[in-house]
Amino acid sequence: LRLRLSNALLAPLGLCVALVLIMPGYTAGAGDGLAIALVVVVALAGLVFAQDGLRARLNPGWAGAAGLAAYLIYTMPVIAYGHWTWSGYDFVNDSGFELLLANHVKGFGTLLGQLPESSQRQFLVQYLANGYPLGTQALLGTFSGLIDTSVAVIYQPYISSLAALGAMALASIGERRLGGWRAALVAVVAISANLTYQYALQGGVKEIGLLATICAAVALAHAAISLGRPYAGGVLVAVGAAAALATYNAVALPYMGALVLFVGLGVALARRSWPRPRWVLPAAAGGCLAAVLAIPSLTTFQTFFNAANSGQGATGVGAEQFGQLLRKLPFSQLSGVWLFGEYRLPVPPGLKGTLTALATIVILVLLVVGVLWALRRRDAGPVLLAGVTGLVMVIVFPRVSPYAQGKLLAVAGPSVLFVGLAFLVGARGRLAWPAMAVVGVLALGVFGSDVLAYGHDRVAPTARIEAITQTGDHFAGQGPVLWNEFEEYAKFFARAAKISSPFEAITPQQVQLRVPRNFYGYYFDLDEELLSFVEGYPIIVTRRSPAASRPPANYRLVYENKYYLGWSRTSTPLVLRHLPEQTLYSPSETVTCSALAPIVAGAPAGTELVVATTPELAVFNPTSDATRTPAWPADPAQAGAVQTITAGSAQGALTVRSSGRYAVWVQGDFPRKTYVQVDGRTVGWVAGSNTPGQWLQAATVSLSPGRHPVRVYADGGHRHFGPGEWPEGDDGTIGAIGLQMQAPERLRTIALSDWRTLCGKPADWVELVRP
């Protein structure tokens, strides 16, 4: 079928073809070699057989400019940081398992393969068994293999590329009626709809992939109608529909069903008559072709549908599920304007709230007028776009959970903006300039909303992520490894080792605490865990911290980097009993005779005591021991911590007993630079999203014995912003500031008969051991 399509459509069509080509091989268990070969061969064939020559076909025109602009907008968080990273870290963190899936599919297809027991394997077992849609992850893995780059490095650019292809498809829909630059302008604003942008910033690869394929399918259907060639049109629509099903399985089916229904209306508009009988067989052939191309998706359709409806899968859309949402999102958020950085909360009353409401009303009115205008002009493109998303919103939206409704709103936003703005941009004569002025104001509202979201967004702390990889590589093939930190990306980046993440729901063994309580999303020190649980692991990885307990006496330090310590279990001594003395912001506590007596009571002959003593640590707590900014309230989620919701400071004094080098530590989470002063001099800073309960080292200083004033302050904004600017809702936390003598923790052996000499002395823990 030799077709002449606009250059604007070639890249979106290529996306759909690539998704359709690679999925059968991956479903059969092939790795990325076959997928790469297919994509490369078909791409080269397209270049060779281009109708107007290679040079003409490589010029995407204004649609290409729209795609480039969309790519830059969506990639801006990474560009601003100047190195590879991804956005949405420490928010939903679904990107962690998306990376796992992409990397696994790249090597084993959709089959489980021979993987050792680990958190990685447990996640893959559940997701693959539930028929989780893998189209976008599979294509990510294919590109990763093609350019020999980690899926993590290209994750955010990949999501941005999907958005860019969606923008190009939208531009192709409008270019014939609006003209090149006008269609590109509308496409860029539409694809930048705020809720869509925010879902991209939280790593929503499936949602953006579905949006891109929906836009491509509608654009292909529009082109098919314009061509007036039924069989060619049937092929184009079939490829687009199969690609959409590959991205999101059962979720894409209502959109494709709506597309089929509205194609007939599009033909009637464009041809000024209802489809004739000659369209029936091509339509049936297209449906059969779509079903054949979508076989890899349809084989897991029922499984995924059941898992989603029951709420068992990670994407469960059970009736009461909110997922990451804090409330049910209002329907108005599909307008694309939300002048508040946090999309899960209402826009505060005031000027921004009023402007958001006005822009929303205008855009929704323009949507209705735009559909009527398209019907009158017999322009099938906007009608198809509005019909596909509108029918899904009318039928599906009221019947799913708030969690799923948020995704539907994010997918629908660009269609709403495109149809409404296309009406304004299409105005001619005396109304042209006033209409363009309104377009400019609404575009400012959309982009302003995105700037606020961009400032609120957090990116992954790349240096620590690379340290996770280095730690996993050091223990490659070994394990199980107790990763004693709530870090949802460890199971991917440290996957070379047999990682077990005990504070997650899906893991080989969940943490066993001395005092059972809710553990998901929290951090617990080794001393808070049962000795039998801790010693069940031959390798333990802990974060560097002035307050973390050392593992039991039968572990020795075998690896360390800037952020992590690796411990290996030894055959001796045999630990019989363990007395923990660690507290929230300190690695030690005073040993009491009453607590130690049960440890030594009835001790077997030949046993002895081992006591772990920590280097000197002086800590001040900003909630009790410091003078702090009133706008830094106590954090309800963490005892002794404050929320740094504005610029501010906390200051106190610390007393050290000995002269020497001291490490300056700050506990908390730091979306912006947080500085530390000692003796009135700024000695260093910490920055970056941190995992719960953990510390970052700001500096090392030389101190003399005595009292030292210490101040912690934040007077600059998020790195996306300049000094003095503070993104709304971008809260950090500070738990404590500490000065710790730079010396290793020591183990001392005490004769059992001398156990009372430990009473009244500080210790990390005391253990009864058999040498």
Side-chain angles (χ1 to χ4, degrees):
L1 294 171
R2 197 172 179 87
L3 302 175
R4 176 169 180 80
L5 299 176
S6 72
N7 287 0
L9 254 183
L10 291 181
L13 174 59
L15 168 67
C16 296
V17 170
L19 286 167
V20 168
L21 279 177
I22 65 175
M23 287 311 296
Y26 281 131
T27 303
D32 61 354
L34 176 61
I36 292 171
L38 289 171
V39 169
V40 170
V41 168
V42 172
L44 290 176
L47 294 175
V48 170
F49 295 106
Q51 284 186 343
D52 300 325
L54 179 59
R55 186 172 181 179
R57 279 316 205 181
L58 290 181
N59 178 16
W62 281 105
L68 177 61
Y71 179 85
L72 292 175
I73 290 170
Y74 275 73
T75 317
M76 193 55 66
V78 177
I79 295 173
Y81 276 76
H83 53 70
W84 80 269
T85 185
W86 70 92
S87 63
Y89 178 84
D90 201 27
F91 180 58
V92 181
N93 284 346
D94 286 356
S95 301
F97 63 74
E98 302 291 11
L99 293 173
L100 267 180
L101 288 166
N103 193 73
H104 180 79
V105 169
K106 175 182 170 184
F108 301 95
T110 61
L111 304 182
L112 183 60
Q114 299 297 318
L115 292 176
E117 187 63 33
S118 62
S119 291
Q120 174 192 10
R121 186 181 189 279
Q122 289 296 316
F123 264 84
L124 291 172
V125 166
Q126 175 154 332
Y127 281 76
L128 295 176
N130 285 339
Y132 193 75
L134 295 170
T136 48
Q137 300 90 333
L139 190 58
L140 171 61
T142 303
F143 287 141
S144 169
L146 178 63
I147 62 177
D148 192 25
T149 304
S150 168
V151 293
V153 173
I154 63 173
Y155 187 69
Q156 196 67 37
Y158 175 69
I159 292 176
S160 303
S161 299
L162 294 174
L165 292 172
M168 293 183 69
L170 291 174
S172 74
I173 293 174
E175 65 180 356
R176 184 176 180 183
R177 185 72 68 181
L178 303 176
W181 73 267
R182 288 183 174 87
L185 172 64
V186 173
V188 171
V189 178
I191 206 68
S192 301
N194 180 252
L195 191 59
T196 310
Y197 185 65
Q198 297 239 33
Y199 267 75
L201 291 186
Q202 72 182 36
V205 67
K206 299 191 308 301
E207 290 74 30
I208 306 304
L210 176 62
L211 171 63
T213 52
I214 289 173
C215 292
V218 171
L220 291 170
H222 182 234
I225 293 170
S226 301
L227 288 170
R229 296 173 59 185
Y231 281 100
V235 171
L236 290 176
V237 175
V239 171
L245 289 169
T247 63
Y248 224 139
N249 206 312
V251 177
L253 191 61
Y255 290 101
M256 296 304 100
L259 177 61
V260 172
L261 291 176
F262 277 91
V263 164
L265 178 58
V267 171
L269 288 173
R271 301 294 168 185
R272 299 178 183 272
S273 64
W274 289 104
R276 298 171 182 261
R278 73 188 186 98
W279 288 78
V280 175
L281 285 178
C288 293
L289 178 61
V292 171
L293 296 177
I295 285 176
S297 304
L298 296 177
T299 55
T300 60
F301 180 90
Q302 189 65 45
T303 303
F304 176 68
F305 183 79
N306 292 339
N309 276 325
S310 65
Q312 294 175 359
T315 59
V317 289
E320 302 302 323
Q321 188 174 0
F322 277 78
Q324 83 280 7
L325 303 180
L326 303 176
R327 62 179 187 138
K328 181 178 179 179
L329 298 184
F331 193 79
S332 62
Q333 271 188 266
L334 56 72
S335 70
V337 177
W338 197 254
L339 295 173
F340 190 52
E342 173 58 271
Y343 75 90
R344 301 175 299 170
L345 297 174
V347 181
L351 180 60
K352 290 183 178 179
T354 301
L355 292 177
T356 299
L358 288 175
T360 298
I361 292 171
V362 171
I363 290 168
L364 294 180
V365 169
L366 285 174
L367 170 66
V368 176
V369 176
V371 171
L372 296 176
W373 174 78
L375 288 170
R376 182 177 180 182
R377 297 287 297 271
R378 297 186 177 277
D379 188 357
V383 174
L384 284 173
L385 200 59
V388 168
T389 55
L391 190 61
V392 172
M393 295 302 290
V394 169
I395 296 176
V396 179
F397 187 85
R399 292 172 171 79
V400 295
S401 71
Y403 174 74
Q405 288 177 344
K407 295 174 180 285
L408 295 179
L409 290 171
V411 172
S415 298
V416 171
L417 276 171
F418 183 87
V419 174
L421 295 182
F423 162 69
L424 288 177
V425 172
R428 297 292 185 267
R430 289 179 296 178
L431 295 178
W433 285 110
M436 287 301 292
V438 176
V439 170
V441 172
L442 294 176
L444 284 176
V446 172
F447 292 135
S449 301
D450 291 350
V451 168
L452 293 173
Y454 165 77
H456 183 73
D457 175 59
R458 298 190 182 197
V459 299
T462 311
R464 183 164 60 79
I465 293 298
E466 290 175 342
I468 293 174
T469 301
Q470 293 163 7
T471 307
D473 290 345
H474 179 82
F475 295 108
Q478 302 179 53
V481 177
L482 173 60
W483 196 277
N484 207 61
E485 173 190 29
F486 181 70
E487 171 53 88
E488 294 180 276
Y489 291 93
K491 58 183 174 287
F492 172 73
F493 286 99
R495 66 189 180 279
K498 303 172 187 177
I499 295 298
S500 178
S501 301
F503 308 134
E504 296 190 43
I506 305 174
T507 193
Q509 186 180 24
Q510 295 172 345
V511 67
Q512 296 176 20
L513 300 172
R514 292 175 176 271
V515 180
R517 71 199 87 165
N518 177 37
F519 61 84
Y520 180 82
Y522 294 93
Y523 160 74
F524 295 93
D525 187 81
L526 293 175
D527 267 1
E528 298 179 88
E529 302 165 13
L530 292 177
L531 177 64
S532 58
F533 171 78
V534 173
E535 289 205 307
Y537 290 88
I539 299 170
I540 298 174
V541 173
T542 60
R543 275 288 294 273
R544 283 190 178 274
S545 164
S549 294
R550 185 199 189 280
N554 55 340
Y555 284 83
R556 63 185 179 91
L557 183 65
V558 295
Y559 175 77
E560 58 184 309
N561 59 36
K562 183 178 179 181
Y563 295 93
Y564 293 95
L565 302 175
W567 307 81
S568 178
R569 191 179 59 206
T570 58
S571 58
T572 59
L574 176 63
V575 179
L576 303 178
R577 299 171 190 171
H578 181 92
L579 174 64
E581 294 290 357
Q582 187 262 1
T583 57
L584 178 61
Y585 295 124
S586 174
S588 62
E589 187 60 87
T590 301
V591 178
T592 63
C593 285
S594 60
L596 189 54
I599 299 294
V600 300
T607 56
E608 58 191 16
L609 295 176
V610 174
V611 58
T613 56
T614 62
E616 179 185 349
L617 174 66
V619 172
F620 88 76
N621 186 313
T623 61
S624 58
D625 301 330
T627 301
R628 73 178 191 274
T629 299
W632 283 11
D635 185 353
Q638 180 178 331
V642 296
Q643 293 178 320
T644 54
I645 60 177
T646 67
S649 66
Q651 55 191 11
L654 294 175
T655 300
V656 299
R657 299 189 304 271
S658 307
S659 62
R661 297 288 291 175
Y662 284 79
V664 182
W665 292 89
V666 188
Q667 194 273 335
D669 183 35
F670 316 100
R672 66 199 62 81
K673 281 186 178 180
T674 301
Y675 298 85
V676 181
Q677 288 182 343
V678 179
D679 295 330
R681 179 174 62 91
T682 299
V683 297
W685 52 268
V686 293
S689 296
N690 205 9
T691 51
Q694 302 303 330
W695 301 65
L696 291 177
Q697 184 176 342
T700 302
V701 295
S702 295
L703 297 176
S704 59
R707 184 176 182 273
H708 298 271
V710 177
R711 177 173 178 257
V712 58
Y713 67 95
D715 61 2
H718 191 288
R719 181 171 174 177
H720 297 321
F721 292 83
E725 298 180 77
W726 204 270
E728 292 180 287
D730 194 13
D731 301 349
T733 61
I734 296 176
I737 296 85
L739 300 175
Q740 186 177 52
M741 173 71 78
Q742 287 198 303
E745 187 163 344
R746 294 188 301 116
L747 299 183
R748 286 192 300 127
T749 302
I750 305 293
L752 199 60
S753 58
D754 295 332
W755 69 273
R756 291 185 182 276
T757 62
L758 297 177
C759 300
K761 304 290 182 61
D764 179 352
W765 45 252
V766 180
E767 291 180 339
L768 177 70
V769 304
R770 186 184 302 278

